[in-house]
Amino acid sequence: MGTKGREIVGKDVNKLVEMLNKALADEWLAYYQYWVGTKVVKGPMREATTAELLQHAAEELGHAELLSNRLIQLGGTPLLTPEDWYKMSNCGYESPEDPYVEVVLDQNIKGEQCAIDVYRKLVDFTKDIDPVTYEIVLSILADEIEHEEDLQALAEDIHIMRERR
Ligand code: FE
Ligand code: FE
Ligand code: MG
């Protein structure tokens, strides 16, 4: 850990480490929710949906990577056990008990909306104290906004298809 790199963040560094770890917990749960979703999802536009869920899973994993690297730079430790994912998560986990495509999409849309709130808060928190983390959480926020939009577009297409039959 770079002492000066940590020092410039100042007194808020411990709070920031906690917020980043909570976001990390969300990312792992989001990753698995998407990933297992690709395995079980059924219904219209299954192939397009699976491709989108799989892409999002990969992107959530990328977010976990970014957060973990920054946590270490800040002198923190990324959560060491999956038990902490549930304990620390802001957004929780929705298991796809009902594999119907619209249900799975809705669950993931909810997750993205929660993620957008989480990163919006992290953007606000870091804006004036830590430009490096700011840039990271801003780029993740942009991804989560795109994720929500992608899923809502799919849900809309499925809805239109059903109405037009
Ligand atoms: Fe994410
Ligand atoms: Fe996402
Ligand atoms: Mg996408």
Side-chain angles (χ1 to χ4, degrees):
M1 145 196 139
T3 45
K4 182 71 179 174
R6 180 178 155 93
E7 194 186 287
I8 55 165
V9 179
K11 60 177 170 45
D12 294 317
V13 71
N14 291 336
K15 171 74 186 154
L16 180 56
V17 162
E18 196 199 332
M19 289 171 85
L20 293 176
N21 255 326
K22 287 173 74 63
L24 179 63
D26 292 327
E27 294 294 353
W28 276 106
L29 293 175
Y31 167 76
Y32 192 76
Q33 190 176 311
Y34 275 123
W35 181 85
V36 80
T38 69
K39 304 298 178 195
V40 299
V41 71
K42 283 185 173 62
M45 296 184 47
R46 187 202 294 207
E47 233 172 289
T49 302
T50 299
E52 196 69 55
L53 299 185
L54 201 57
Q55 186 199 46
H56 289 194
E59 286 167 1
E60 308 308 4
L61 201 54
H63 297 161
E65 179 78 22
L66 291 169
L67 294 172
S68 302
N69 293 342
R70 186 60 187 144
L71 272 160
I72 287 175
Q73 285 181 344
L74 289 168
T77 306
L79 297 178
L80 295 175
T81 167
E83 281 172 32
D84 288 338
W85 298 344
Y86 255 103
K87 281 187 218 146
M88 299 281 286
S89 170
N90 302 290
C91 300
Y93 181 82
E94 302 234 5
S95 49
E97 310 286 340
D98 180 348
Y100 184 61
V101 59
E102 286 183 296
V103 177
V104 172
L105 284 172
D106 275 351
Q107 288 177 320
N108 286 313
I109 288 166
K110 243 176 84 186
E112 293 299 342
Q113 289 172 341
C114 179
I116 289 168
D117 279 337
V118 167
Y119 288 104
R120 172 75 227 198
K121 284 187 189 117
L122 267 161
V123 162
D124 288 344
F125 188 78
T126 53
K127 188 160 50 86
D128 298 319
I129 62 163
D130 180 359
V132 177
T133 305
Y134 174 77
E135 218 185 320
I136 293 165
V137 294
L138 186 60
S139 76
I140 299 177
L141 175 62
D143 287 346
E144 308 304 13
I145 288 170
E146 192 185 307
H147 288 173
E148 184 207 26
E149 191 183 19
D150 290 345
L151 299 180
Q152 285 182 335
L154 269 170
E156 190 186 6
D157 287 349
I158 291 166
H159 182 77
I160 291 169
M161 203 165 73
R162 196 157 22 72
E163 297 292 292
R164 292 284 177 123
R165 276 213 303 210

